[in-house]
Amino acid sequence: MEKISFELKKTMAENIERYLKKAKKTQREMCKSLDFKENTVSDWLNAKTYPRIDKIEMMANYFDCKKSDLIEAGARYYEIVDGVVREKYGFTNSVDAVVLPVDDAAV
């Protein structure tokens, strides 16, 4: 079995956190809905372990996103709203926002 790198675990952790926030759900709510153990999800969120593909698919269905949205690093964007610049990753919910792709080398 191939070992999962820390970077992949960290990306997954950040993506789960992001989708929890977007869905306005807590870790506990997701665990209850999907019948996941809280300790297991805590390990995912702390980049200690990586979920199996069946669990990734369940989360993708729960968050109504693609599995790749959980697995892959999100695109980096800046959102400018009312003159305030905020960094965002992968998606924006604001209709009024100006979203600019950012080159990592330029940051």
Side-chain angles (χ1 to χ4, degrees):
M1 182 189 286
E2 188 175 326
K3 187 175 177 180
I4 304 292
S5 74
F6 176 74
E7 290 305 315
L8 289 176
K9 292 176 195 173
K10 188 172 186 300
T11 295
M12 176 64 73
E14 290 169 353
N15 289 338
I16 295 170
E17 286 278 358
R18 187 171 312 110
Y19 275 97
L20 281 170
K21 185 175 180 180
K22 180 180 179 188
K24 297 182 178 159
K25 298 289 183 182
T26 65
Q27 174 184 337
R28 179 167 281 160
E29 290 170 322
M30 181 182 76
C31 289
K32 187 174 181 180
S33 293
L34 299 178
D35 198 26
F36 291 171
K37 293 181 181 176
E38 287 187 45
N39 289 344
T40 300
V41 174
S42 178
D43 285 347
W44 298 341
L45 293 172
N46 289 307
K48 290 182 180 179
T49 60
Y50 195 84
R52 293 187 328 241
I53 191 65
D54 62 318
K55 304 301 183 194
I56 295 170
E57 187 166 357
M58 291 172 72
M59 286 188 287
N61 291 333
Y62 180 76
F63 293 128
D64 193 29
C65 68
K66 297 180 285 187
K67 291 183 293 250
S68 62
D69 292 334
L70 294 171
I71 295 168
E72 298 171 359
R76 223 166 120 173
Y77 296 93
Y78 288 114
E79 178 182 59
I80 305 169
V81 180
D82 297 328
V84 177
V85 178
R86 290 183 296 217
E87 193 168 9
K88 294 191 70 87
Y89 293 85
F91 55 81
T92 180
N93 295 339
S94 178
V95 181
D96 300 324
V98 176
V99 180
L100 306 168
V102 175
D103 179 5
D104 280 341
V107 177

